[in-house]
Amino acid sequence: MNILKRRGWEISESHVTSESLFFNRRQVVAGLATLPLIGSAKAAVNAKFADAGRPVTDELQNTTYNNFYEYGTSKSISDAAQALVTKPWSITIDGLVDAPLTLQFEDLLKKMPVEDRIYRHRCVEAWAMVVPWTGFALKDLIGMAKPKAEAKYVRFETFNDPKMAPGQEPGLFSSFPWPYVEGLTVAEAMNDLSFIATGAYGKDLPKSMGAPLRLHTPWKYGFKSIKSIVKISFVAEQPMNFWQAIQSSEYGFWANVNPEVSHPRWSQATEEVLGTGERVPSVIYNGYGEFVADLYKGMEEEKIFF
Ligand SMILES: Nc1nc2c(c(=O)[nH]1)N[C@H]1C(S)=C(S)[C@@H](COP(=O)(O)O)O[C@H]1N2
Ligand SMILES: [Mo]
């Protein structure tokens, strides 16, 4: 008998994700003339990230259960997020780079090799989803920007516009340090896993999920995965992120998933897999250690898990 070694984040073999659910519509259309539908659909998915070991989360659940403080502090912000205006949308790349630029989202998309990936997403609140993304590797954008050797960190910034995000209105959550900011080391940003999502479920990214483009670093807690990005800056110093600025005793720069390191107010040992009714053990680096553990060699004494 064949004994399969089950990774900690797998629920059961019978739940292996069906690729037909999340192919990239544009690629399918492009491939219609020469390939059967399934063939072109498979070609669009990066084979390394085609199976998250769990079923893809129901689309409606994913687009209506969100964390997006610009639109409120509850999980039900998807209606409010419709106020987000994504056209036109420009992105600035600046700081310690040889090729600073500002360009329209559509023009950036044309320059990037777009693919599909299925990623597990783990919020520090101990809930998890599986998301079928479309987008591009962050390292491809970095290659275009040509960072200088002095650039050690990448700083990301969300829009700041109280007219389209009531949460940013002065007075409402006035203690919040808008805009939302996040950061990675350049080495982390260059890692294969670091992904800029521009679509989900074969469609443009829903507003509630951070349209028109957001980061996803699936080995880190979800707050690192900044939404609705307008600026990407290459900097020498470690950026202060939004949650760290609000409560540095609870949220740090690294935020790598580790079930053995509790958040000061709650455990990270298990997670609720939304839509399944199941609670499962969490896994270090959210199960992506094979890709990222090397980034942290020699840093064991540092606070890399919060
Ligand atoms: N700009 C911005 N980005 C953000 C947040 C936010 O409030 N504002 N919340 C973060 C948190 S805590 C999580 S868990 C994820 C949630 O992504 P989802 O709504 O697509 O599941 O977005 C992250 N990115
Ligand atoms: Mo989160």
Side-chain angles (χ1 to χ4, degrees):
M1 200 186 133
N2 223 343
I3 312 279
L4 284 178
K5 197 169 147 247
R6 189 176 295 173
R7 287 159 288 188
W9 39 266
E10 285 176 330
I11 296 167
S12 86
E13 281 78 19
S14 64
H15 280 147
V16 167
T17 307
S18 156
E19 287 187 15
S20 61
L21 290 173
F22 38 72
F23 51 75
N24 177 331
R25 213 188 254 161
R26 268 167 300 168
Q27 305 246 9
V28 170
V29 171
L32 273 181
T34 49
L35 291 165
L37 199 68
I38 288 300
S40 59
K42 279 187 174 155
V45 182
N46 182 324
K48 268 186 280 181
F49 311 116
D51 177 4
R54 292 176 183 172
V56 166
T57 302
D58 173 72
E59 181 178 352
L60 185 63
Q61 171 140 44
N62 208 332
T63 56
T64 57
Y65 185 98
N66 303 97
N67 201 322
F68 202 171
Y69 269 62
E70 285 82 344
Y71 291 98
T73 55
S74 82
K75 294 288 170 288
S76 306
I77 53 76
S78 61
D79 286 345
Q82 300 315 306
L84 171 60
V85 179
T86 59
K87 285 182 183 131
W89 192 274
S90 70
I91 297 130
T92 295
I93 300 172
D94 66 7
L96 302 169
V97 291
D98 284 335
L101 76 164
T102 294
L103 73 182
Q104 290 300 307
F105 171 65
E106 290 76 11
D107 296 330
L108 173 65
L109 208 50
K110 277 183 215 144
K111 291 177 194 286
M112 293 291 121
V114 173
E115 63 180 39
D116 288 3
R117 298 184 181 194
I118 321 297
Y119 272 176
R120 294 184 299 283
H121 168 55
R122 169 64 158 78
C123 174
V124 71
E125 295 163 339
W127 50 266
M129 289 190 184
V130 175
V131 197
W133 298 120
T134 301
F136 53 85
L138 178 56
K139 67 179 175 198
D140 289 323
L141 182 143
I142 293 178
M144 184 177 72
K146 301 190 175 63
K148 297 178 190 295
E150 310 94 88
K152 298 289 181 253
Y153 297 90
V154 190
R155 180 186 183 279
F156 303 84
E157 201 175 292
T158 296
F159 69 86
N160 189 8
D161 183 354
K163 286 195 298 301
M164 64 176 184
Q168 294 179 325
E169 264 165 40
L172 202 45
F173 312 125
S174 50
S175 59
F176 284 0
W178 304 112
Y180 199 100
V181 167
E182 260 303 339
L184 298 172
T185 65
V186 169
E188 288 177 325
M190 290 295 291
N191 187 273
D192 229 8
L193 275 179
S194 295
F195 196 62
I196 298 288
T198 58
Y201 297 89
K203 301 170 185 159
D204 288 347
L205 202 59
K207 292 182 179 184
S208 60
M209 291 170 76
L213 77 167
R214 61 92 60 86
L215 177 68
H216 192 204
T217 47
W219 73 100
K220 292 177 177 284
Y221 294 116
F223 67 85
K224 298 296 293 181
S225 293
I226 182 171
K227 295 178 168 181
S228 305
I229 298 166
V230 294
K231 193 155 90 163
I232 301 176
S233 308
F234 290 79
V235 296
E237 306 294 330
Q238 194 178 93
M240 167 70 71
N241 64 48
F242 182 78
W243 286 106
Q244 199 181 7
I246 291 170
Q247 193 60 276
S248 65
S249 59
E250 299 193 356
Y251 303 98
F253 172 78
W254 300 97
N256 295 309
V257 174
N258 187 342
E260 290 176 12
V261 181
S262 295
H263 181 273
R265 287 184 283 135
W266 61 87
S267 164
Q268 297 297 337
T270 62
E271 63 203 49
E272 181 191 350
V273 184
L274 292 182
T276 69
E278 289 185 69
R279 254 203 120 73
V280 300
S282 293
V283 179
I284 190 160
Y285 299 120
N286 200 23
Y288 291 99
E290 63 177 297
F291 298 100
V292 294
D294 280 355
L295 286 169
Y296 309 106
K297 282 242 169 76
M299 294 177 65
E300 288 76 12
E301 300 308 311
E302 291 183 46
K303 283 188 92 182
I304 57 172
F305 299 109
F306 263 109

